[in-house]
PDB file of all heavy atoms in Angstrom:
ATOM      1  N   GLY A  11      38.465  21.471  21.930  1.00 45.00           N
ATOM      2  CA  GLY A  11      37.065  21.819  21.873  1.00 45.00           C
ATOM      3  C   GLY A  11      36.493  21.541  20.481  1.00 45.00           C
ATOM      4  O   GLY A  11      35.428  21.032  20.200  1.00 45.00           O
ATOM      5  N   GLY A  12      37.252  21.895  19.441  1.00 45.00           N
ATOM      6  CA  GLY A  12      36.936  21.715  17.975  1.00 45.00           C
ATOM      7  C   GLY A  12      36.775  20.158  17.660  1.00 45.00           C
ATOM      8  O   GLY A  12      35.787  19.773  17.032  1.00 45.00           O
ATOM      9  N   ILE A  13      37.738  19.451  18.239  1.00 43.00           N
ATOM     10  CA  ILE A  13      37.661  18.036  17.905  1.00 43.00           C
ATOM     11  C   ILE A  13      36.491  17.357  18.728  1.00 43.00           C
ATOM     12  O   ILE A  13      35.722  16.506  18.042  1.00 43.00           O
ATOM     13  CB  ILE A  13      38.948  17.357  18.361  1.00 43.00           C
ATOM     14  CG1 ILE A  13      40.183  17.749  17.532  1.00 43.00           C
ATOM     15  CG2 ILE A  13      38.911  15.785  18.472  1.00 43.00           C
ATOM     16  CD1 ILE A  13      41.460  17.405  18.188  1.00 43.00           C
ATOM     17  N   VAL A  14      36.242  17.783  19.988  1.00 38.00           N
ATOM     18  CA  VAL A  14      35.050  17.256  20.596  1.00 38.00           C
ATOM     19  C   VAL A  14      33.754  17.576  19.984  1.00 38.00           C
ATOM     20  O   VAL A  14      32.874  16.792  19.845  1.00 38.00           O
ATOM     21  CB  VAL A  14      35.087  17.664  22.114  1.00 38.00           C
ATOM     22  CG1 VAL A  14      33.739  17.405  22.858  1.00 38.00           C
ATOM     23  CG2 VAL A  14      36.231  17.228  22.893  1.00 38.00           C
ATOM     24  N   PHE A  15      33.679  18.781  19.568  1.00 42.00           N
ATOM     25  CA  PHE A  15      32.436  19.323  18.856  1.00 42.00           C
ATOM     26  C   PHE A  15      32.298  18.389  17.489  1.00 42.00           C
ATOM     27  O   PHE A  15      31.156  17.971  17.230  1.00 42.00           O
ATOM     28  CB  PHE A  15      32.548  20.774  18.399  1.00 42.00           C
ATOM     29  CG  PHE A  15      31.463  21.253  17.672  1.00 42.00           C
ATOM     30  CD1 PHE A  15      30.189  21.419  18.262  1.00 42.00           C
ATOM     31  CD2 PHE A  15      31.497  21.497  16.209  1.00 42.00           C
ATOM     32  CE1 PHE A  15      29.118  21.869  17.550  1.00 42.00           C
ATOM     33  CE2 PHE A  15      30.411  21.992  15.628  1.00 42.00           C
ATOM     34  CZ  PHE A  15      29.157  22.099  16.154  1.00 42.00           C
ATOM     35  N   ALA A  16      33.334  18.176  16.753  1.00 41.00           N
ATOM     36  CA  ALA A  16      33.157  17.442  15.454  1.00 41.00           C
ATOM     37  C   ALA A  16      32.840  16.065  15.840  1.00 41.00           C
ATOM     38  O   ALA A  16      31.972  15.451  15.141  1.00 41.00           O
ATOM     39  CB  ALA A  16      34.588  17.518  14.769  1.00 41.00           C
ATOM     40  N   LEU A  17      33.353  15.380  16.861  1.00 37.00           N
ATOM     41  CA  LEU A  17      33.018  14.051  17.146  1.00 37.00           C
ATOM     42  C   LEU A  17      31.496  13.992  17.653  1.00 37.00           C
ATOM     43  O   LEU A  17      30.777  13.056  17.235  1.00 37.00           O
ATOM     44  CB  LEU A  17      33.943  13.520  18.355  1.00 37.00           C
ATOM     45  CG  LEU A  17      35.218  13.211  17.906  1.00 37.00           C
ATOM     46  CD1 LEU A  17      36.158  12.864  19.160  1.00 37.00           C
ATOM     47  CD2 LEU A  17      35.378  12.065  16.892  1.00 37.00           C
ATOM     48  N   LEU A  18      31.132  14.924  18.408  1.00 38.00           N
ATOM     49  CA  LEU A  18      29.760  14.954  18.896  1.00 38.00           C
ATOM     50  C   LEU A  18      28.816  15.079  17.827  1.00 38.00           C
ATOM     51  O   LEU A  18      27.658  14.530  17.659  1.00 38.00           O
ATOM     52  CB  LEU A  18      29.496  15.954  20.034  1.00 38.00           C
ATOM     53  CG  LEU A  18      30.140  15.616  21.328  1.00 38.00           C
ATOM     54  CD1 LEU A  18      30.004  16.817  22.344  1.00 38.00           C
ATOM     55  CD2 LEU A  18      29.576  14.330  21.875  1.00 38.00           C
ATOM     56  N   SER A  19      29.114  16.033  16.829  1.00 38.00           N
ATOM     57  CA  SER A  19      28.295  16.235  15.751  1.00 38.00           C
ATOM     58  C   SER A  19      28.142  15.087  14.807  1.00 38.00           C
ATOM     59  O   SER A  19      27.146  14.693  14.360  1.00 38.00           O
ATOM     60  CB  SER A  19      28.910  17.547  14.904  1.00 38.00           C
ATOM     61  OG  SER A  19      28.819  18.616  15.713  1.00 38.00           O
ATOM     62  N   ALA A  20      29.245  14.463  14.537  1.00 41.00           N
ATOM     63  CA  ALA A  20      29.365  13.256  13.699  1.00 41.00           C
ATOM     64  C   ALA A  20      28.537  12.186  14.338  1.00 41.00           C
ATOM     65  O   ALA A  20      27.815  11.412  13.613  1.00 41.00           O
ATOM     66  CB  ALA A  20      30.837  12.882  13.435  1.00 41.00           C
ATOM     67  N   GLY A  21      28.601  12.011  15.556  1.00 39.00           N
ATOM     68  CA  GLY A  21      27.934  10.849  16.385  1.00 39.00           C
ATOM     69  C   GLY A  21      26.491  11.208  16.222  1.00 39.00           C
ATOM     70  O   GLY A  21      25.699  10.196  16.145  1.00 39.00           O
ATOM     71  N   CYS A  22      25.989  12.336  16.302  1.00 35.00           N
ATOM     72  CA  CYS A  22      24.534  12.588  16.227  1.00 35.00           C
ATOM     73  C   CYS A  22      23.974  12.311  14.811  1.00 35.00           C
ATOM     74  O   CYS A  22      22.763  11.801  14.615  1.00 35.00           O
ATOM     75  CB  CYS A  22      24.199  14.017  16.575  1.00 35.00           C
ATOM     76  SG  CYS A  22      24.491  14.479  18.296  1.00 35.00           S
ATOM     77  N   GLN A  23      24.857  12.476  13.795  1.00 35.00           N
ATOM     78  CA  GLN A  23      24.319  12.261  12.427  1.00 35.00           C
ATOM     79  C   GLN A  23      24.524  10.763  12.008  1.00 35.00           C
ATOM     80  O   GLN A  23      23.971  10.420  10.994  1.00 35.00           O
ATOM     81  CB  GLN A  23      25.104  13.153  11.459  1.00 35.00           C
ATOM     82  CG  GLN A  23      24.811  14.538  11.690  1.00 35.00           C
ATOM     83  CD  GLN A  23      25.698  15.509  10.959  1.00 35.00           C
ATOM     84  OE1 GLN A  23      26.499  15.017  10.190  1.00 35.00           O
ATOM     85  NE2 GLN A  23      25.417  16.783  11.089  1.00 35.00           N
ATOM     86  N   ALA A  24      25.365  10.056  12.699  1.00 34.00           N
ATOM     87  CA  ALA A  24      25.735   8.734  12.209  1.00 34.00           C
ATOM     88  C   ALA A  24      24.994   7.664  13.029  1.00 34.00           C
ATOM     89  O   ALA A  24      25.610   6.798  13.596  1.00 34.00           O
ATOM     90  CB  ALA A  24      27.239   8.478  12.426  1.00 34.00           C
ATOM     91  N   GLU A  25      23.721   7.644  12.881  1.00 40.00           N
ATOM     92  CA  GLU A  25      22.880   6.623  13.491  1.00 40.00           C
ATOM     93  C   GLU A  25      23.088   5.315  12.701  1.00 40.00           C
ATOM     94  O   GLU A  25      23.198   5.332  11.482  1.00 40.00           O
ATOM     95  CB  GLU A  25      21.417   6.996  13.402  1.00 40.00           C
ATOM     96  CG  GLU A  25      20.934   8.020  14.467  1.00 40.00           C
ATOM     97  CD  GLU A  25      19.453   8.264  14.485  1.00 40.00           C
ATOM     98  OE1 GLU A  25      18.738   7.374  14.130  1.00 40.00           O
ATOM     99  OE2 GLU A  25      19.056   9.347  14.813  1.00 40.00           O
ATOM    100  N   PRO A  26      23.162   4.231  13.404  1.00 48.00           N
ATOM    101  CA  PRO A  26      23.350   2.885  12.699  1.00 48.00           C
ATOM    102  C   PRO A  26      22.008   2.527  11.892  1.00 48.00           C
ATOM    103  O   PRO A  26      20.948   2.851  12.274  1.00 48.00           O
ATOM    104  CB  PRO A  26      23.586   1.829  13.768  1.00 48.00           C
ATOM    105  CG  PRO A  26      23.033   2.603  15.057  1.00 48.00           C
ATOM    106  CD  PRO A  26      23.107   4.003  14.815  1.00 48.00           C
ATOM    107  N   ASN A  27      22.315   1.977  10.682  1.00 64.00           N
ATOM    108  CA  ASN A  27      21.198   1.583   9.805  1.00 64.00           C
ATOM    109  C   ASN A  27      20.644   0.209  10.377  1.00 64.00           C
ATOM    110  O   ASN A  27      21.393  -0.757  10.175  1.00 64.00           O
ATOM    111  CB  ASN A  27      21.744   1.551   8.429  1.00 64.00           C
ATOM    112  CG  ASN A  27      20.520   1.274   7.482  1.00 64.00           C
ATOM    113  OD1 ASN A  27      19.389   1.087   7.827  1.00 64.00           O
ATOM    114  ND2 ASN A  27      20.778   1.228   6.234  1.00 64.00           N
TER     115      ASN A  27
END
Side-chain angles (χ1 to χ4, degrees):
I13 292 171
V14 169
F15 177 76
L17 289 173
L18 290 175
S19 296
C22 292
Q23 296 172 359
E25 286 186 28
N27 186 358

